[in-house]
Amino acid sequence: MQAPVQRIGKYPAVLQGLHSLAQQGSEEQRRLSEAIRCIQPVAAHVNEMQQIRQDFGATFDELAELFHQVYPHKPLVDLSIGELRMFGTVEWLNSAESLGGSQADHQQQQQQQQQQQQHPQLCTSCFVFRHAVVLLCQEPRPADEAANTVGNYDLIRFQTVIPATDVQVRCGLSNDAQRSYLWDLVHLASIEDNRVEKLYQLANSSAEARDDFLKTIRQAVRDAARVATEQHQQQQQQSRAAAATASARESQQLPAAITASTAAARRRPLRRSSSLWQPVTKRPRAPPILADPQQATGIRAAPPALQTRRQAERAVW
């Protein structure tokens, strides 16, 4: 038995056989010609995806698992063939920096040029997925090792996966004489991940290929930013909904708690503390002021000015 994806490659042959048996110039032959024209690109794409899955499927699975181990706090990177948007070969101009050496001075740059001349068969492939970019640098195995090896005959010298949220592309210079169209793939720096910025200088043999890479990667960056924004808004809505639910629950519980405490206070008998019942010391009252100091002994007499004023008030009344 064959899977449905394996039968797609046989459809063009079936349609070609029906087309050869149809009457010349008939409506059936015209429709068969249109069906053949539509099915050929589909069959070619399916065969191409199957070949990529056969050659790089295990590598993509390992990269996805390694990325999850290194960055467990980040979302998983889906490197399945169904998420692949574009792929192709590119020329990696500063490959010596990652494969060994740096561009610190002129002497090291000469060493890099010598290294590139020693490895002319290096093949670099760029795969643009929906939410990530994968860069692979391969080298053919020696003839003696390839004869004893089953499966993929290329040694992977370098491999990396860059999430679409951490990638940036820039269009470089163009050299029509040498048919070299430059562009930069930038892995942005991150303080959280303790990572410095990494620059990959790439080139294509045609302006159309370079523009397709730039357009596809920028679209992946926009899609990743939109998804991140939607997730952030969804988290904010969930947090606001949780806060509103907690506030409503507290508002429902507060009147019940007040009612229960009031009822308990009414049922509870009053207790008077012994400290509240203390004897009150009365102040001694001042002795009355008499008009005639001879009325009582020991009673203070009013001053003469006050006596004169009281006599004037009595006269007025």
Side-chain angles (χ1 to χ4, degrees):
M1 298 180 65
Q2 292 181 339
V5 70
Q6 295 175 331
R7 295 198 297 266
I8 294 179
K10 298 183 177 181
Y11 290 161
V14 174
L15 293 176
Q16 289 285 356
L18 295 175
H19 184 271
S20 63
L21 298 175
Q23 185 179 358
Q24 294 292 333
S26 62
E27 180 67 17
E28 289 79 5
Q29 192 178 40
R30 186 186 67 81
R31 291 180 177 273
L32 286 170
S33 300
E34 184 179 358
I36 292 172
R37 181 179 59 84
C38 294
I39 196 63
Q40 284 179 346
V42 177
H45 178 72
V46 170
N47 293 333
E48 195 172 28
M49 292 299 104
Q50 286 183 335
Q51 188 66 32
I52 291 176
R53 177 61 185 173
Q54 181 180 355
D55 295 341
F56 303 101
T59 303
F60 293 156
D61 295 340
E62 292 177 0
L63 280 175
E65 184 178 359
L66 181 62
F67 180 84
H68 179 61
Q69 293 177 359
V70 176
Y71 305 106
H73 59 281
K74 289 190 175 183
L76 296 177
V77 177
D78 189 1
L79 300 181
S80 59
I81 301 300
E83 298 292 325
L84 185 61
R85 295 294 178 262
M86 183 182 177
F87 71 96
T89 58
V90 295
E91 183 181 358
W92 190 4
L93 302 180
N94 62 338
S95 59
E97 184 178 354
S98 298
L99 300 179
S102 60
Q103 295 181 347
D105 50 20
H106 181 68
Q107 182 179 0
Q108 291 180 350
Q109 292 180 1
Q110 292 180 352
Q111 293 177 359
Q112 292 173 4
Q113 294 176 0
Q114 294 176 1
Q115 187 175 1
Q116 290 178 355
Q117 294 176 359
Q118 293 174 1
H119 302 283
Q121 297 180 346
L122 289 178
C123 177
T124 304
S125 303
C126 183
F127 300 88
V128 183
F129 291 86
R130 185 179 180 184
H131 298 301
V133 179
V134 174
L135 196 66
L136 294 179
C137 184
Q138 296 174 297
E139 179 184 2
R141 294 178 183 271
D144 53 349
E145 295 184 8
N148 300 326
T149 306
V150 179
N152 190 7
Y153 296 120
D154 293 334
L155 289 171
I156 298 179
R157 294 287 305 278
F158 179 83
Q159 59 184 4
T160 183
V161 55
I162 307 175
T165 55
D166 300 336
V167 71
Q168 185 180 7
V169 289
R170 295 193 293 259
C171 183
L173 301 177
S174 301
N175 190 345
D176 297 333
Q178 298 181 359
R179 298 186 60 82
S180 179
Y181 300 89
L182 309 180
W183 58 286
D184 297 336
L185 179 68
V186 184
H187 193 179
L188 300 177
S190 175
I191 300 178
E192 180 183 1
D193 301 333
N194 194 17
R195 182 184 64 248
V196 298
E197 182 178 294
K198 179 67 176 178
L199 175 65
Y200 302 94
Q201 296 178 351
L202 308 176
N204 290 101
S205 59
S206 64
E208 292 78 9
R210 179 192 63 179
D211 296 341
D212 290 342
F213 270 113
L214 295 177
K215 180 180 178 180
T216 307
I217 294 176
R218 286 169 179 168
Q219 183 63 39
V221 172
R222 287 193 293 267
D223 294 342
R226 177 179 52 81
V227 171
T229 302
E230 292 177 355
Q231 292 178 353
H232 181 66
Q233 292 178 354
Q234 186 177 3
Q235 292 177 357
Q236 286 184 343
Q237 292 178 359
Q238 292 178 356
S239 61
R240 284 196 295 265
T245 303
S247 177
R249 188 181 298 110
E250 290 179 359
S251 62
Q252 292 177 359
Q253 295 176 355
L254 185 59
I258 293 176
T259 305
S261 62
T262 305
R266 291 178 179 176
R267 291 192 302 267
R268 187 169 58 247
L270 296 178
R271 298 181 179 179
R272 297 185 178 182
S273 176
S274 59
S275 61
L276 298 178
W277 301 93
Q278 296 180 357
V280 179
T281 305
K282 294 184 178 181
R283 284 186 175 183
R285 297 182 62 181
I289 299 176
L290 302 179
D292 188 5
Q294 304 299 329
Q295 291 181 0
T297 305
I299 297 179
R300 175 169 68 89
L306 183 57
Q307 295 179 8
T308 306
R309 189 183 64 183
R310 287 180 178 176
Q311 292 176 0
E313 290 176 357
R314 291 194 193 98
V316 171
W317 285 103

